[in-house]
Structures are given as C-alpha cells and as structure tokens.
Amino acid sequence: MATKRNNGPAPSRRDFLKTTAAMMGVGAAAGTFGGISCGPRGSAPIKVGIMHSLSGTMAISETSLRDVELMAIEEINAKGGVLGRQIQPIVEDPASDWPTFAEKSKKLLLRDEVCSVFGCWTSASRKAVLPVFEKNNGLLWYPVQYEGNECSHNVFYTGAAPNQQIGPAVTWLLKNRGKKFYLLGSDYVFPRTANGIIKGQLKAEGGELVGEEYTPLGHMEYSTVVNKIKSAKPEVVFSTINGDSNVAFYKQLRAAGITANDIPVMAVSVAEDEVRGIGGAVAEGHYAAWNYFQSVDTPENKVFVDKFRTKYGKDRVTDDPIEAAYFQVHLWAQAVAKAGSTEVDKIREAALGQEFKAPEGMVRLDPKNLHTWKTVRIGKIRADGQFDVVWATDGPVRPEPWDKIQFPKRDCDWTRGGTVENT
Amino acid sequence: MTSTTFLLGQLFNGLSYCSILLLIALGLAITFGLMGVINMAHGELMMLGSYAAYVLQNYFAKQLAAQYFGWYFVLALPLAFVVSGLAGLLLERSLIRRLYGRPLETLLATWGVSLILQQLMRQIFGANNVDVRSPGWLMGRWHVAAGLELPHLRLFIIAFTSTCLFLMYALLFRTALGLRIRAVTQNRDMSACLGVPTRKVDAYTFALGSGLAGFAGCILSLMGSVGPNSGQNYIVDAFMVVVLGGVGKLAGAIAGSFVIGQTNVLFESFSTATMGKVMVFTLVILFLQWKPSGVFPSKVRSLD
C-alpha cells in the first residue's frame, strides 16, 4: 500500500498522520485520565471488543464464545442497554495466530477505543495480548480455565483457577477411584504447569505417579501411548490433552478395549462441545471436572440453554467456557452500571465484588485478585454426550491464582499492589 | 503385562501405523509422486472423504432400521472415493491443468484451495468436530495371548491398505490406462506424439489420487477427529512419506511409510511421543542429506 497509490479510498499520508496522532492522544489520555473510555460520551453506543478465533485451528472452540457473547449483548440491549446507551460489539478474528491476537488488541484498544474486550482461549494467546492490555490500560475478560500463576490488573479471569478445577478433581479421584495416576497431556504450557501442580498434590495427599507422557498438539496416533498405559496399569488417567487429539485418544483407547470401567480418564479440557466430536458412545463413563455442565439443574441454566439453542440451532450444546463467556458480559454490564462511567479504572473498581446469578449458580468477582468465585463440579459422561454431575462443592470456591504447593507464600492481591509474598 | 507382550504389541502398533501412513500417502504418491503436483489440498481431499462418511452415517441412522447401521461404512468407502475423486477432477480441470510444470504456483494455488475447502466445510457443517461412529463389527478385538489384543479396526486398516496397494499395482501395470499414466508421467511430449490423450490421462490420474485420499479420510474418521481442520493433521506425514521414499515410485511410498512408521513407534516406546517425532524428523533429514532422492530414486536419463 505504501508503494502504490491510486485514486481509490486508500488512506493518504495525512490520514495516516492524523490516525497516529489520535492514537498517541489516546495513549496520553490513558495516562492522564485513567483509561480508555469506550468511545464518545452522551447517548452514543458503548463499544466493546469481541476477539475470538473464527478461523484456523482454534475456531472449533472459540466460535461458540463469540456467539454467546453476542447473545448476552443482545439481551442487555433489549433491556435498554447500560447507562441508557446501547452496546455495540466490534468483532475481530485473530485467526488462531498469537501475534495477530496482539495486533487485533492494539486495534481494538487504540483505534476503536473499546473499554473492554471479551476474548482469547488458549493461554498462548492470552500471554500474547497481556503486554498490550497492560501497557494501554485496557480490560480483557478471559472466560477459559487456565493454569494459574498469573496476576494481572488488566484481566478479569472468569474461568477456573487451578484450585477450582484440577485440585478438587485430583482429591476426588484419590478418594473414589484409586491412588495410581497416569498423567497425559499435550506438550505446551498449560498441561506441563497443571501436571506440576498435580504431582505436588499427589505427594501431599498420598497418591502414586506411575507414568507421565506428553504428545504434540494435533497428535493423532495414540497406539503407543495406549500400550504404555496398559503396561503401567494405572487406576486413573488424568488427561490435559487439548484440541483434536482428544478425539483420537478416546477413540483409540476404546478400540484397544479399555473402557471407563477398566481405567477412567479424568479430563479438564473435554466439555460437551468436545464430547460431540468424540462421540458419547466412545467417551461414556469417563470424567471431566468443570464449573458448569449443560445438565446443571438451575432455573437460570434452563433459560440459558433454551435461549442459546433457539438462537443458534437445536443441535448446539453449551459448556463451561461458553457459560463463562456469557456471564462475564453481564458482570461487565453490572460493573459499568454501578460505575456510572465507561472509564476502565472505574469499571474495574466497580466490578470487584460484583455478583451475578449465572447458569452455574452464583458467581462473584473476587475483590482482590480479579478472578471469579465458582462452584466446582465433576461430571460423568453419558452416552448422549451430556454429563451427570457426580460431585459438586456446596457453594462458590475462592479462586487462588498462585499454586499453593509451588508458591506457598505468594498471593495475588490488588489492594496491596498485585503479587505479594506473605510472611 | 510382561515386557514381551508390550514389545509384541509395539511391533503390531508399528505395522498398524505403517499401514495408516501408507494409506494417507498413497493418493499423494500419485498426484505428487507421479504427476509432480505439490498438492497442499491433499489433506482437505481426505477431509471430504471423512465428511462423506459422516453424511452417510447420519442418513443410515435417520432413514434405515438400526440393524442396517453397521453396513453404512461399507458404502461410505466407495462414496468417499467418488466424492473426493470428483472434487479432484474438478480441481484438475479448473486449476491445476493450467499450472503443470510450475511447482511454486501449484503450491500456492492448492494451498488456497485447501483454505477454501476448510472454510466451506465450516459453513456447511459448523466449526465443531463431528462424530463418526465405528460400526459394531470393527469394535472388537482379536485375543492373541494374555495382555495382547489386536483391535479389529487396526487389522481392518492393514487389510484395506494392502488391498488398495494391490489394486493400484494392478491398475498401473496391468491395464491400458495404467500404461498411459506411466507413459505420460515419464515423458509427456513423446506420449502426446504417439497419440495418447495426455490431458484426459492427467485428469483421470489426478482424480484417482484424490479418490485414494477420500479412502484415507473415510477410514481415518474412525481413528481421529473429523472437522474442518482435520486434513491439516495428516498433510506433513503424507509429504514426508513420499519424499523419504522417493518421488515418482509407488514402491517408495511403501518404503517411506514402513521406515517412518516403525522407527516412530520404536522411538516412542523408549522415549516420549514428542521426542519420538523429533528423532524421526532428525533421521529423515540426515537420510535425505545422504540420499537426496529418497530410498527409491527415479532414474531419469535427461536433466529435469
């Protein structure tokens, strides 16, 4: 574009300078007045960003999050919006490419001046955009469970921290299914960190590690892994496999004759959407730990599931990240209403301690660490691809971003300036 | 389970993996190996085969009585061959025939086609993976000894790949079409002079290779995921097999898949899946340094 000019609508050099100046102005404003403020004031719509991969390898998971976030925005708009203003979503597709995530965040924050972005799925994409949000004081709302050990002032984590998913799952397995664990994961940051946590916990709670194996993302040939599992004779397999490999693993495990009665698999990245691709008949009897299942019995969930399926099709399913993506938009709207402003710093302040009756039950944004109080559940896969909840905590569990076994003294507390070491 | 049964199991797994690799690479051995088309859309042609199985399965589940359900897969195989073959024919007629002898343009064009096909499937079937169920008769296991059971599914794949291979040989070396295919791929100009309709032969050959990709996709829908991206999971392996074996020879694909399959499973047995892959890649790179044209290089008199 820089070398060839025609008479079309290509931006002129003057436009470019203007935009740059405007961006710098925004940057300056962010420093002076406490954050970007969702477009002009008055009755103009409030602009928010939606940034999930709609193409590439992650589209399989992230497309549903875009859908449900648009649905939540529609709900809020139908009730008159927030502060008397409508909400205008700006949807960007970062195409499963981590640098593109960073670029799109910059575009959303600096050019569109959105005061919040709902986005990301993989930890890799979150890590890629983190510096952009921190530098420009934007707000990211992140709806997926993750490996923890992060404490940012610019991210609201509405998925589970490790102590709200992995920890309780390990404890439950030790009590109910056996002590001998085989750890199987995809080879990247989340499974390796998660397995570090699990190994610490096994030591502390009297479990035994009989094998540990990582397969590349997209791995499709599990015969050797299955054979190794057969020889190691574990009582449970704890799986942190992500993506398409899950389908291959469950199908080939089943073909080798190992059913959930022989060796149950506990997964933390297999939800209703993934079971649909594996097939309920193959995955039946295996477990997953989440905060939400489509089968959770609350009045809010019934309404939510009906609405989602009426809007997007009878064959669609809801699952944990979809539900978190949904309620985080409502938490955001409540925060904006309470703040009476669309400035980032004010939204953040108002959001802390905010509660919402979500489909999974009551959720609350922790007043100190920007993570979410959530109920922990363990589900058993049924033949129809849905889950039977076999265990749940009595109420929402406090999120602990830093792993207590690796970092016993570390805490995330923004009333004390972020990550702190307790003495 | 003793270590002997573990090792026997691994030997079988190696054989099974070889047959899967060969099935994936067989179509590419035709389109890339014989015709020289760097076909980046090979994985997507496989994906079309997988979706053909999915559509037929749904038809059987909805329209026919439950006792016939097990038969859907028998019909899914030829359907997948036809669907992918027709897609390949269309691709050759509309695009690739304009690009013969221009490998770089072909690479880019077919890569574009692969993206289009992925997005097309995403529009039709949604971004999520779909569920293709194994028919009951493939779910059993052959009990050989205590701790050593061979899944019917893997045995079936070995048998099916062998049959495909046999038929390919028969076609290429025992029929008139096979003779023409070999003639055109060896010396296009001379074949044209002798009255062989090279354009037609090109189209048939490409459709045949694509149809084989459809077979592979259909079978692998029972082993792995079926979604818009699932073709991408196999494309690297397919090219590696053909390049290692030697471009232009069917025997090369057999050798390539055998070497990669067995060494991969062997390495994985005593290290991890990731390290196994790394070691296989290292081995392939070293081997190609030593023999750049693969195990079975094509002997040509002229300089290309």
Side-chain angles (χ1 to χ4, degrees), chain B residues 281-297:
Chain B
F281 273 116
T282 315
L283 203 74
V284 168
I285 291 168
L286 289 178
F287 183 82
L288 289 179
Q289 292 292 318
W290 175 48
K291 273 183 176 285
S293 346
V295 184
F296 290 104

Side-chain angles (χ1 to χ4, degrees), chain A residues 56-57 60 187 213-214 220-221 223-224 227-228 230-231 233 244 247-248 251-252 255-257 273 276-277 279, chain B residues 1 6 10 13 17 127-132 141 151 154 221-225 229 233 268-269 271-274:
Chain A
T57 177
I60 181 176
D187 209 351
E213 177 87 30
Y214 298 93
M220 282 290 141
E221 178 58 38
S223 56
T224 303
N227 208 6
K228 280 182 183 176
K230 263 175 141 177
S231 330
K233 294 200 176 77
D244 281 3
V247 184
K251 277 186 178 171
Q252 291 170 31
D273 240 0
R276 222 160 54 124
Chain B
M1 188 198 274
F6 176 79
Q10 282 307 89
N13 285 340
Y17 192 35
N128 294 92
N129 281 337
V130 296
D131 164 30
V132 177
R141 279 159 310 283
R154 288 184 184 273
S221 66
L222 304 180
M223 302 280 297
S225 61
N229 301 317
N233 296 327
E268 208 184 319
S269 306
S271 66
T272 66
T274 315

